[in-house]
Amino acid sequence: RGEVGQALKARGYQIAVGSDSIIGWTSANNQSRIASNVAQDPLHLKHELLPDTRSEAALPLQTGDLVLGVLDVQSTKQDAFRTEDVEILQTLADELSAAIYNARLAQSSVSVAEHARLVSKVTAQLSGVLEIDEVLETAARSLHDALGQPDIIVKLVPPAGEEQLEKIASSSSPEDQARSDHGEQA
């Protein structure tokens, strides 16, 4: 948070799970760690942007056994975190964990719904098509439209034991098709 938080974010600053740091320890052990005096905690990781840190509280952001991250609070005062403060931070960490987990579930649900919508759309466009060439062309065109890809190629491989007979369908944008028709390479 603040200028230091923005600078760390701009640098892409990260601390590895299990690293020799309070955050690393907290993430690896899924347990809170409070350093009332960071000078006496061998895991406190000094950082040039936070030279005045005197105490640190790290709480896991977790759901069940799954650690999502760590809430790390640093203070310029030694012994800054009283029992009540840690309880409030734990409540905040629990609420953050639930919000992060729910946001991830929502993103996953949207992705699954998009995939289902795509499959349903392609399936609907293919229903009633009986000729193999038309099935391949329709599939290529549908996938091109749905995925926005410049080129989609669908290749039919014959069943085992049958003669090698290739049927290929492709779909590209009308501009690419026109260039191809005039001998240009897309």
Side-chain angles (χ1 to χ4, degrees):
R1 173 172 154 8
E3 289 180 31
V4 172
Q6 292 301 319
L8 291 172
K9 188 176 176 182
R11 291 180 186 183
Y13 186 73
Q14 296 181 5
I15 296 177
V17 172
S19 65
D20 287 336
S21 66
I22 291 174
I23 293 171
W25 186 92
T26 298
S27 61
N29 293 286
N30 197 9
Q31 294 178 23
S32 298
R33 186 177 179 114
I34 312 299
S36 297
N37 180 355
V38 296
Q40 295 177 354
D41 192 316
L43 290 181
H44 172 70
L45 181 63
K46 292 184 181 192
H47 195 282
E48 73 271 7
L49 293 178
L50 298 164
D52 299 325
T53 297
R54 299 294 175 259
S55 57
E56 181 175 4
L59 300 101
L61 299 174
Q62 52 81 29
T63 179
D65 292 334
L66 177 64
V67 177
L68 306 171
V70 174
L71 172 63
D72 184 64
V73 182
Q74 299 185 19
S75 176
T76 57
K77 297 177 184 173
Q78 191 170 314
D79 297 314
F81 303 106
R82 300 169 301 173
T83 302
E84 308 85 61
D85 298 328
V86 174
E87 289 172 0
I88 290 170
L89 289 172
Q90 185 62 61
T91 300
L92 178 59
D94 293 343
E95 291 297 320
L96 282 170
S97 299
I100 291 167
Y101 185 74
N102 289 338
R104 286 183 178 173
L105 281 177
Q107 287 175 340
S108 177
S109 295
V110 167
S111 179
V112 167
E114 283 296 314
H115 287 116
R117 184 188 61 73
L118 172 62
V119 169
S120 177
K121 181 179 177 182
V122 171
T123 301
Q125 290 173 342
L126 290 173
S127 67
V129 178
L130 300 176
E131 294 294 323
I132 291 177
D133 290 340
E134 192 178 348
V135 167
L136 295 174
E137 291 295 331
T138 301
R141 197 177 326 95
S142 297
L143 289 170
H144 170 78
D145 293 344
L147 299 175
Q149 298 296 321
D151 293 304
I152 301 290
I153 297 174
V154 180
K155 181 178 178 181
L156 181 63
V157 178
E162 288 189 19
E163 236 181 86
Q164 183 66 28
L165 174 65
E166 289 185 354
K167 292 203 177 265
I168 299 175
S170 66
S171 178
S172 53
S173 68
E175 298 82 20
D176 291 341
Q177 198 68 24
R179 271 188 254 136
S180 179
D181 291 344
H182 290 88
E184 296 178 33
Q185 191 169 13

